[in-house]
Amino acid sequence: MSGSRSPTWRCSAVTSPPDPNADLLAQLKSTAVLGGPASNADLLAQLNAEPLPDPLQDVEYTGDLAVDAGAELDALAIGFRERTKREDERFRLATDSEFWFALCFKSREDKDAFLKAAGLMHIGDKYLDGRAAAAVLGVDMPTTDTGEE
């Protein structure tokens, strides 16, 4: 085979995409500092925990499609009502203006520059846990136990 050339293989640098869970992992690690899960096993348990019970777990099936479908719909309606109550309470706590404040900047770039310079970006970029921010900034906080997370 005169004149034939072997194929030329070219390798370009391959980079991995950024970890989509990096922010979540940083937030979980910051809770560990503040009395949250203290070990990798605790963090793993928190990540793998069932967030809500299965609303269909107590449905007793009879074998009658119409009766069973009605029982499932009733159980789902109860589940939605319970979830709405929990969400209403979560929203009330999240928007109660007596225990949060806001900082405003002229641009997103200014906000990000502040968070990076203060060493707070790993806690979040919009809503930060105040105790986690205080720990990063070296601010001593009084110990208060409200019984709420």
Side-chain angles (χ1 to χ4, degrees), residues 72-133:
E72 284 184 346
L73 286 174
D74 289 343
L76 289 172
I78 291 168
F80 278 119
R81 283 193 296 274
E82 289 173 355
R83 173 60 191 243
T84 299
K85 286 180 192 174
R86 286 190 304 272
E87 183 59 23
D88 288 347
E89 179 62 10
R90 188 209 61 79
F91 181 80
R92 186 192 67 75
L93 289 172
T95 59
D96 180 355
S97 64
E98 295 302 316
F99 66 93
W100 66 272
F101 70 95
L103 297 173
C104 298
F105 297 91
K106 290 189 180 211
S107 69
R108 177 179 292 178
E109 290 78 19
D110 288 351
K111 181 231 2 161
D112 289 343
F114 171 81
L115 291 172
K116 286 177 184 169
L120 298 172
M121 189 62 89
H122 71 282
I123 298 171
D125 70 342
K126 188 170 284 257
Y127 301 101
L128 284 66
D129 180 301
R131 289 199 173 269

Side-chain angles (χ1 to χ4, degrees), residues 5-75:
R5 296 170 39 178
S6 61
T8 303
W9 298 93
R10 294 192 177 136
C11 288
S12 60
V14 177
T15 59
S16 299
D19 184 352
N21 297 314
D23 290 337
L24 173 63
L25 292 172
Q27 289 174 351
L28 286 172
K29 286 179 183 176
S30 70
T31 62
V33 171
L34 300 169
S39 69
N40 286 343
D42 291 339
L43 288 174
L44 186 60
Q46 183 177 348
L47 286 171
N48 291 323
E50 282 294 322
L52 300 172
D54 178 2
L56 301 177
Q57 70 186 9
D58 295 329
V59 173
E60 294 186 26
Y61 292 94
T62 65
D64 181 330
L65 183 60
V67 171
D68 292 348
E72 284 184 346
L73 286 174
D74 289 343

